[in-house]
Amino acid sequence: MPLLVMKFGGTSVATLDRIARASKRVAREVANGYDVIVIVSAMSGKTNELVGWVEETAPLYDAREYDAVVSSGEIVTAGLMALRLQEMEIPARSWQGWQVPVKTTSAHSAARIEEIPTDNINTKFGEGFKVAVVAGFQGLSPEGRVTTLGRGGSDTTAVAFAAAFGAERCDIYTDVDGVYTTDPRIESKARKLDKIAFEEMLELASLGAKVLQTRSVELAMRYKVKLRVLSSFEEYDPTAGTLVCDEEEIVEQNAVSGVAYSRDEAKMTLISVADRPGIASAIFSPLSDAGVNVDMIVQNISEEGRTDMTFSCPTNQVARAEKALTDAKEKGDINYREIVADTDVAKISIVGIGMRSQAGIAAKMFKVLAQDGINIKVITTSEIKISVLVDRKYMELAVQALHDAFELDKG
Ligand code: ADP
Ligand code: ASP
Ligand code: MG
């Protein structure tokens, strides 16, 4: 039997009605002759609620119990969808991560999938089941504990199943009808893309476009999974949505394909650090040991023999970063005058594989921001992206100005 993976995100399973609607789509693919693996998220808002309960109970929580609690949202939706499908006379059952089992690393709350054995689910398909409804976002560690894959992780579950089972396609059903040139919620002129290259989608996702989890794009690229993003609210159309594909499949290419933003950024500066060989290592090793995800880094000269070191990290890791740096100072490993944390910043990025061959893109980006009076605090670039840190109050303005200037509304 040909096999499809269909993933439904939180808003697509937010109520019993929506679960029923999603189930109809699954039924249609079963009628088209497919066996289907459905990956479900928790009902929208549920994971946030569960995270809130954990943080309220224990601010410095045990990550294993965090995973035990936050993985429960997906379990409910998987069971409900299996029941709904059974009501429609479709042979279906639910699967929790450990039952498959989805084998992961032990990195609780950010685990990676290592292996998905196919025999248990395939045996059930062999017995006449048509649909396996799998709880997304969760797995099992080598120690036998439940793990979760990081926020947005059901996308990754979906792509990993598509790769493991050799699915014909992996359809990601969500609340927008595809991948846009930027988030349609903050730029009404954002344009839906029919196709986007893996490399661009990877950058957009890692720079904040939450429509797909970064790791899911990495896996799709590595295992050549045919990946499509489409709306669970629109009428059925087999050509709908956005196909994430190899860049060779894309005929026309603007220099810039999309704009991403992340409001969850903080800028930290260590003022007046002794400038000597090994200083970067002495600062960033304890941060790494403390699990701080450092992104942008800038080193400036201050007074003679001293330097200011600036870096960015997620806002919710500022306290952890401060503690790691204070401890390192107390131990005498580093020496600085003070730490300044600015949590009122956002990162804006432009992405496009066309940038590889076109000069002047960075200059144009900086000019556009300057025209709107937006000050740039930190800059980083790679072959196909340019990111800047700006005051958060300018975030939407910056996205819109760049979207306009690079004419992303035009195809
Ligand atoms: P789901 O619950 O289905 O996983 P998410 O909320 O995780 O959905 O992701 C979909 C959201 O991603 C959209 O509602 C949209 O606001 C946001 N988004 C950000 N950037 C983009 C983009 N470039 N294209 C489409 N959606 C985007
Ligand atoms: N429910 C999880 C989250 O909100 C996983 C997902 O929806 O992909 O992050
Ligand atoms: Mg998501």
Side-chain angles (χ1 to χ4, degrees), residues 264-292:
D264 172 38
E265 301 285 327
K267 169 172 160 270
M268 301 195 65
T269 304
L270 287 186
I271 297 184
S272 189
V273 183
D275 196 7
R276 55 167 173 81
I279 192 63
S281 160
I283 291 172
F284 292 105
S285 300
L287 289 171
S288 150
D289 294 343
V292 176

Side-chain angles (χ1 to χ4, degrees), residues 3-9 11-13 16-40 81 84-85 88 90 92 130-133 169 171-178 228-242:
L3 183 120
L4 275 189
V5 170
M6 302 171 76
K7 179 256 172 177
F8 292 92
T11 27
S12 308
V13 293
L16 296 185
D17 279 349
R18 291 199 183 161
I19 291 178
R21 201 183 162 110
S23 303
K24 277 195 199 145
R25 285 195 181 254
V26 176
R28 188 191 314 261
E29 299 295 8
V30 171
N32 286 341
Y34 288 103
D35 281 345
V36 182
I37 297 179
V38 179
I39 309 294
V40 285
M81 187 172 287
R84 171 46 51 201
L85 289 163
M88 298 161 74
I90 294 174
K130 300 305 295 174
V131 183
V133 189
R169 211 176 53 239
D171 283 342
I172 306 284
Y173 285 89
T174 181
D175 56 0
V176 282
D177 61 350
R228 192 163 67 135
V229 177
L230 68 172
S231 164
S232 65
F233 301 119
E234 305 219 328
E235 283 314 305
Y236 181 79
D237 168 1
T239 63
T242 300

Side-chain angles (χ1 to χ4, degrees), residues 132-390:
V133 189
V134 180
F137 179 53
Q138 57 184 262
L140 184 68
S141 74
E143 294 77 28
R145 300 294 305 255
V146 172
T147 53
T148 62
L149 310 179
R151 298 306 304 269
S154 296
D155 298 328
T156 300
T157 309
V159 174
F161 270 79
F165 285 80
E168 197 173 293
R169 211 176 53 239
C170 180
D171 283 342
I172 306 284
Y173 285 89
T174 181
D175 56 0
V176 282
D177 61 350
V179 178
Y180 279 71
T181 47
T182 193
D183 188 346
R185 284 180 211 286
I186 74 164
E187 169 56 283
S188 57
K189 286 189 271 171
R191 179 172 52 88
K192 186 183 80 90
L193 301 164
D194 293 332
K195 290 182 176 174
I196 184 163
F198 281 122
E199 288 84 352
E200 290 175 327
M201 192 63 241
L202 195 58
E203 288 285 6
L204 286 175
S206 72
L207 295 167
K210 70 171 184 157
V211 61
L212 286 173
Q213 197 196 34
T214 309
R215 180 82 183 129
S216 73
V217 187
E218 265 169 29
L219 286 182
M221 199 163 147
R222 165 128 56 101
Y223 294 104
K224 303 234 166 290
V225 171
K226 199 165 170 195
L227 181 62
R228 192 163 67 135
V229 177
L230 68 172
S231 164
S232 65
F233 301 119
E234 305 219 328
E235 283 314 305
Y236 181 79
D237 168 1
T239 63
T242 300
L243 194 66
V244 189
C245 58
D246 285 325
E247 63 182 90
E248 292 75 38
E249 290 180 48
I250 299 175
V251 191
E252 278 180 56
Q253 190 67 60
N254 294 334
V256 176
S257 304
V259 183
Y261 65 89
S262 164
R263 73 178 86 234
D264 172 38
E265 301 285 327
K267 169 172 160 270
M268 301 195 65
T269 304
L270 287 186
I271 297 184
S272 189
V273 183
D275 196 7
R276 55 167 173 81
I279 192 63
S281 160
I283 291 172
F284 292 105
S285 300
L287 289 171
S288 150
D289 294 343
V292 176
N293 298 314
V294 171
D295 177 20
M296 308 163 116
I297 300 176
V298 181
Q299 185 175 355
N300 287 318
I301 301 300
S302 65
E303 61 256 51
E304 185 68 23
R306 313 292 289 180
T307 178
D308 290 346
M309 188 75 87
T310 299
F311 63 91
S312 69
C313 69
T315 319
N316 63 2
Q317 294 181 356
V318 167
R320 210 184 300 177
E322 276 173 343
K323 179 164 186 327
L325 293 169
T326 317
D327 289 351
K329 187 179 183 183
E330 270 167 20
K331 277 201 282 169
D333 296 343
I334 49 176
N335 177 353
Y336 54 84
R337 196 164 67 227
E338 60 176 318
I339 307 178
V340 179
D342 179 356
T343 51
D344 252 347
V345 291
K347 183 171 64 182
I348 315 291
S349 311
I350 57 174
V351 171
I353 43 183
M355 276 188 214
R356 283 189 200 130
S357 52
Q358 206 168 317
I361 304 293
K364 180 167 172 180
M365 178 183 195
F366 304 152
K367 189 169 165 201
V368 170
L369 296 173
Q371 277 163 352
D372 273 312
I374 302 172
N375 189 30
I376 300 172
K377 298 175 167 233
V378 183
I379 303 169
T380 53
T381 66
S382 78
E383 208 187 10
I384 66 162
K385 74 122 202 271
I386 305 166
S387 298
V388 296
L389 221 52
V390 300

